[in-house]
Amino acid sequence: MSFAKLTASTLAIAAVSATAAAARDNVQVAGSSTVLPYASIVAEAFGENFDFPTPVVESGGSSAGLKRFCEGVGENTIDIANASRAIREKEIEACAANGVTDIIEVRIGYDGIVFASQINGPEFTAFEPADWFNALAAELPVDGEIVANPNMTWADANADLPAVEIAAFIPGTKHGTREVFEEKVLLQGCEDTGAMEAFIASGMSEDDAEGACMAVRTDGKSVDIDGDYTETLARIDTNPNGLGVFGLAFYENNTDKLKVATMGGVEPSTETIASGEYPVSRPLFFYIKKAHIGVIPGLKEYAEFFVSNDIAGPSGPLANYGLVSDPELADTQATVAEEKTMGGAM
Amino acid sequence: MTDATSQNSVAGNERRTSSLYTLDARTRRRNAAETRFKIYGMTAVGIGLVFLVILLVTIVRNGIPAFTQTSFDMPVVLEAEALDPNGNRDPADISKVSTFGYNPLIEQALERLVAEHGIETEMSGADLRKMVSSGAAAQIRNTVLANPDLIGETVTFRVLASSRVDGYMKGRVTRDDLARDKNLDAEHLNIVDVLSEEGGLERAFNWAFITGSDASESRPEQAGIGVSMLGSLFMMLVVLLLALPIGVAASIYLEEFAPKNRWTDLIEVNISNLAAVPSIVFGILGLAVFIQLVGLPQSAPLVGGLVLTLMTLPTIIISTRASLKAVPPSIRDAALGVGASKTQAVFHHVLPLAMPGILTGTIIGLAQALGETAPLLLIGMVGFIASNYPDGITAGFLSPNSAMPAQIYEWAKRADPAYYERAWGGIIVLLLFLMTMNIIAILLRRRFERRW
């Protein structure tokens, strides 16, 4: 209806008015592609329930979103940045340099990272962080010496695993997911196997040892996927021995093609992630420019709606899609209601 | 002559051992070479055709399901206590009940619907709601807000089924697939089977796919390509309004007025080179110049249009020059001969005759620009949820929007397999547009082209 009207009106192109820079009346959001599905679910429900226009949600990655967020204050900058990691000290400084001083940090919940393989593939059912470290590390200590990773099959990494060639598809370095994978799986595995101590014993400083723990082999056994999970899924579809790293929500939408493995003996699910049993999860955030509250109509309402029990609660649409609801949601709601900025004092 | 010929043939008779009708070894070899070449040619064409057929069959087979959608009739009791707690039918009060307030009504309606059809199930209303699109609550709420008198009555709504139910009706989802799926159970499918047998649940043509806006990841059943189609339309307007006048003016000058020297040669070579520049280069140029330097809004069709204009200009200039060249010099000479100035000769005589060729070139350039995705990646038209119709023409150019190819790319990335189907459906829509444009170009050429 509205479509037909618009098509007709565009034909009357001569009537273009020159008032280009009209005041913005919609909330603009950009940032993490992991948060994008959640933010768009909220934006859609927000448009349905309020008289404000539907917020505009763009993706582009956490870093890109925060960079745009920190460009300054004003109608031509975005109001909210979505991020799949906490804002960094450097970014706060960059923001401050551009006059963005009052930032409200909102944690919306947790996202689980799961390890899945082709449904008809080998029996990858249980992993420990140590298995992944042994399989993917660039260098390993063998008999007291640091050598390039000699493991060719998963059975080399852990005798209980199937003896198939290692073919792992992990998120590329531009993804926030990669950071979590490195810290919670590789580093953990490195410490569990004692490799960390071996690295330090070989004369590395602690920082270098951590770096060595998180370095991924580059001989083709591990493939960085810079695209989305659909690309990882396509790789696994064609490689029965492939193992991929996915978000919990993505896996839950594709259970007919993927089978998930436990990590540290715990099956990933919204329950085990919420309780903290499942080790590989991370918080998701969005950041609000306080200076825009009251200027951009609907900004505060959107933020409050996002963290309301109806939306972000354990039985809300976000949890249905795969977000692990934050047990401390009430605190977050208070933060938004009181417009409490980061650093507290401001 | 005749003598010479007969002498020759007499001399030849000594060499030739057979008549023209029996082939000698050399002729046979030449003929075989020709046959072989024909076979190579036909194989090449055949391989091309096979791939084309495979491509089209795949696209149609994967995309056609996107054009139908499963929906069913659901009588909902619009309870006054739930929807209008104060009982005064005040629109402000009614609008305070959010879509979440409507979910219990949907759950009750589903329980009743299941009971009416005599289906026994242990599933609660909340479980049953997995069958219905989460957009249903908004649909009912909007109806109630538009017509508060309905409160207290039972109204039958035609609601969209959820994407898994739709997938089952289309054969995409099987019972085995649902074994570990928390979005739907096999038990739901028993209900779906009964509903579709006894009427009420059916697949119908999906207009919303063509006119609708993009939806969030939790309700692919509601997503449509309409808004990004408008985005593409506004971009094409920018391209048409800029590339056609600039391109035609440049080529008229180069072809008719410019002196032939080193400079014009250089320009000519560069225009041909520009036509071969990968489109992503124009994208990064657009990002650097239009967005970062000039400060135009990101994701705006205006910027997309400007970038695509740069990409289309060489195509238009080259085809315009070719069609200007095709006008015979006698036309120009005749015009000049009766005293017309050079400008008059060009604009009154040469340009009208070249027009069909120019238009054909422009349309083909536009079709190319319509299908272009790479430069749009860089100016933020990808990774954006096109859920708002632009309100008005200015907003159409300036407010963030997607474009058809970008929308297809976006859908192909999403988690729910129902979006994958829609990506293929989007490709069909895009191909239809391209085909229409190319057919128009062919018709124009057929109708107006003149040969001298």
Side-chain angles (χ1 to χ4, degrees):
Chain A
M1 173 180 68
S2 143
F3 176 82
K5 213 165 68 188
L6 265 162
T7 331
S9 63
T10 35
L11 290 175
I13 193 71
V16 179
S17 63
T19 53
R24 183 149 67 83
D25 61 353
N26 56 6
V27 177
Q28 290 197 346
V29 187
S32 166
S33 46
T34 312
V35 184
L36 177 76
Y38 304 118
S40 62
I41 289 171
V42 179
E44 191 171 66
F46 182 74
E48 282 167 5
N49 282 313
F50 290 80
D51 285 335
F52 302 106
T54 308
V56 172
V57 189
E58 291 170 67
S59 71
S62 304
S63 304
L66 283 165
K67 196 174 159 221
R68 280 179 69 192
F69 182 77
C70 290
E71 271 170 3
V73 176
E75 267 179 13
N76 53 354
T77 59
I78 58 171
D79 311 309
I80 290 180
N82 294 327
S84 55
R85 56 168 173 79
I87 191 168
R88 294 186 181 124
E89 204 53 45
K90 247 196 225 157
E91 286 162 339
I92 297 179
E93 283 162 22
C95 266
N98 289 326
V100 186
T101 46
D102 291 354
I103 305 169
I104 306 173
E105 181 177 68
V106 183
R107 191 176 59 208
I108 57 172
Y110 293 85
D111 176 36
I113 293 169
V114 306
F115 303 85
S117 57
Q118 207 184 83
I119 193 150
N120 303 319
E123 287 291 306
F124 291 114
T125 49
F127 284 114
E128 294 293 330
D131 304 340
W132 278 82
F133 172 72
N134 282 334
L136 293 192
E139 293 181 321
L140 286 174
V142 176
D143 301 329
E145 289 201 28
I146 311 288
V147 295
N149 194 336
N151 296 332
M152 289 298 141
T153 66
W154 284 100
D156 292 341
N158 176 350
D160 294 341
L161 291 171
V164 295
E165 196 149 337
I166 295 169
F169 301 98
I170 62 175
T173 43
K174 73 164 191 176
H175 286 276
T177 316
R178 173 63 171 265
E179 211 170 292
V180 183
F181 173 71
E182 286 177 352
E183 279 171 15
K184 302 242 165 129
V185 181
L186 294 182
L187 190 59
Q188 184 65 43
C190 188
E191 284 166 6
D192 292 353
T193 54
M196 179 91 169
E197 285 160 30
F199 282 136
I200 293 175
S202 75
M204 287 189 201
S205 73
E206 201 161 318
D207 278 356
D208 286 350
E210 269 189 25
C213 283
M214 295 192 284
V216 173
R217 67 199 298 178
T218 50
D219 55 359
K221 298 265 181 265
S222 160
V223 180
D224 279 16
I225 304 286
D226 263 337
D228 293 83
Y229 293 133
T230 24
E231 199 187 326
T232 315
L233 178 64
R235 297 292 195 101
I236 294 211
D237 258 349
T238 52
N239 184 349
N241 295 339
L243 263 164
V245 177
F246 295 95
L248 178 67
F250 188 90
Y251 159 71
E252 288 192 331
N253 265 304
N254 290 282
T255 47
D256 55 328
K257 299 187 199 83
L258 292 172
K259 71 167 181 294
V260 76
T262 60
M263 178 55 82
V266 184
E267 179 140 1
S269 70
T270 43
E271 292 81 25
T272 52
I273 292 167
S275 67
E277 283 170 76
Y278 186 74
V280 199
S281 68
R282 54 156 168 202
L284 300 177
F285 298 94
F286 67 84
Y287 293 90
I288 316 169
K289 229 176 255 183
K290 193 179 176 184
H292 283 195
I293 293 181
V295 180
I296 304 294
L299 177 55
K300 189 171 180 190
E301 286 83 351
Y302 170 75
E304 283 182 324
F305 186 63
F306 203 131
V307 293
S308 67
N309 288 332
D310 279 343
I311 289 279
S315 60
L318 297 189
N320 279 341
Y321 187 72
L323 182 77
V324 178
S325 157
D326 188 347
E328 289 158 17
L329 195 61
D331 291 350
T332 314
Q333 287 164 353
T335 309
V336 176
E338 292 162 22
E339 302 176 16
K340 223 185 283 172
T341 57
M342 290 177 74
M346 281 179 281
Chain B
M1 277 299 270
T2 22
D3 280 353
T5 330
S6 62
Q7 267 169 17
N8 268 352
S9 64
V10 168
N13 268 346
E14 293 165 358
R15 206 160 38 86
R16 194 186 291 152
T17 51
S18 60
S19 84
L20 266 177
Y21 294 103
T22 47
L23 301 172
D24 61 13
R26 247 182 92 198
T27 318
R28 257 200 300 275
R29 272 206 308 279
R30 275 162 42 198
N31 287 352
E34 188 176 320
T35 320
R36 268 203 311 278
F37 182 75
K38 277 190 193 157
I39 291 172
Y40 295 154
M42 283 192 296
T43 323
V45 173
I47 291 173
L49 280 178
V50 167
F51 276 113
L52 183 69
V53 168
I54 292 176
L55 183 75
L56 285 178
V57 167
T58 323
I59 290 177
V60 170
R61 207 188 45 213
N62 286 327
I64 283 293
F67 289 90
T68 56
Q69 199 67 41
T70 311
S71 55
F72 60 92
D73 290 323
M74 183 175 72
V76 181
V77 181
L78 301 172
E79 284 173 33
E81 300 99 80
L83 303 183
D84 187 15
N86 298 339
N88 52 14
R89 300 290 184 270
D90 180 2
D93 277 357
I94 299 171
S95 67
K96 268 191 196 130
V97 180
S98 72
T99 45
F100 300 101
Y102 284 76
N103 283 339
L105 300 186
I106 295 178
E107 286 162 16
Q108 290 159 16
L110 284 168
E111 281 170 357
R112 266 195 305 274
L113 189 70
V114 168
E116 258 173 41
H117 284 86
I119 309 164
E120 277 185 34
T121 173
E122 286 178 3
M123 284 188 291
S124 67
D127 276 336
L128 288 171
R129 195 152 57 80
K130 289 177 179 168
M131 289 166 50
V132 186
S133 163
S134 55
Q139 183 193 346
I140 299 172
R141 182 171 181 268
N142 289 341
T143 314
V144 170
L145 287 185
N147 200 349
D149 297 336
L150 290 177
I151 291 178
E153 289 177 30
T154 303
V155 183
T156 302
F157 289 92
R158 186 146 197 100
V159 293
L160 287 173
S162 70
S163 67
R164 293 291 198 285
V165 172
D166 185 50
Y168 174 65
M169 293 298 285
K170 288 169 181 170
R172 191 184 67 231
V173 175
T174 62
R175 276 163 196 272
D176 296 340
D177 293 341
L178 294 179
R180 294 178 303 138
D181 196 328
K182 69 169 189 136
N183 291 310
L184 203 69
D185 293 323
E187 218 182 332
H188 288 110
L189 297 183
N190 299 337
I191 302 173
V192 171
D193 283 342
V194 174
L195 285 182
S196 71
E197 258 170 46
E198 298 184 2
L201 183 139
E202 60 182 11
R203 268 170 79 182
F205 189 76
N206 184 10
W207 279 110
F209 176 65
I210 297 167
T211 59
S213 63
D214 195 8
S216 75
E217 297 224 17
S218 64
R219 42 175 101 153
E221 61 275 359
Q222 211 185 306
I225 202 169
V227 172
S228 47
M229 217 187 265
L230 283 176
S232 280
L233 177 77
F234 281 107
M235 285 198 325
M236 289 309 111
L237 280 176
V238 174
V239 176
L240 192 65
L241 293 178
L242 288 177
L244 186 61
I246 297 178
V248 171
S251 26
I252 290 176
Y253 176 76
L254 282 174
E255 197 57 42
E256 304 285 340
F257 296 97
K260 296 271 171 276
N261 59 23
R262 228 169 243 227
W263 284 111
T264 47
D265 279 353
L266 191 72
I267 290 174
E268 216 160 288
V269 168
N270 274 311
I271 288 175
S272 315
N273 281 344
L274 268 184
V277 166
S279 53
I280 192 91
V281 177
F282 292 108
I284 209 152
L285 180 79
L287 177 69
V289 176
F290 298 127
I291 293 177
Q292 285 166 359
L293 198 72
V294 183
L296 289 172
Q298 213 164 9
S299 319
L302 177 66
V303 181
L306 288 173
V307 169
L308 293 178
T309 302
L310 294 179
M311 204 193 82
T312 320
L313 260 180
T315 317
I316 295 187
I317 293 180
I318 290 170
S319 67
T320 305
R321 293 189 64 182
S323 47
L324 285 173
K325 261 193 203 125
V327 177
S330 58
I331 305 271
R332 291 182 190 86
D333 294 343
L336 296 175
V338 296
S341 73
K342 185 122 194 213
T343 319
Q344 284 173 323
V346 170
F347 284 94
H348 294 177
H349 302 282
V350 178
L351 194 58
L353 289 171
M355 219 51 196
I358 297 176
L359 287 181
T360 312
T362 310
I363 291 173
I364 290 178
L366 278 181
Q368 202 187 348
L370 182 69
E372 193 57 66
T373 330
L376 305 182
L377 293 175
L378 289 167
I379 57 168
M381 297 190 83
V382 169
F384 164 75
I385 313 285
S387 49
N388 290 334
Y389 289 99
D391 49 348
I393 289 161
T394 326
F397 286 110
L398 290 173
S399 65
N401 203 334
S402 192
M404 275 196 279
Q407 181 73 73
I408 293 166
Y409 173 69
E410 189 58 39
W411 281 342
K413 286 195 305 180
R414 292 196 187 159
D416 195 315
Y419 269 119
Y420 190 66
E421 168 189 292
R422 286 184 132 66
W424 286 98
I427 289 172
I428 294 183
V429 175
L430 185 62
L431 281 182
L432 285 178
F433 270 92
L434 295 181
M435 244 167 63
T436 318
M437 288 171 85
N438 284 327
I439 287 173
I440 292 174
I442 291 170
L443 288 180
L444 275 177
R445 201 157 52 206
R446 282 265 174 82
R447 177 79 181 75
F448 295 107
E449 193 176 48
R450 288 177 65 172
R451 293 189 182 282
W452 283 283

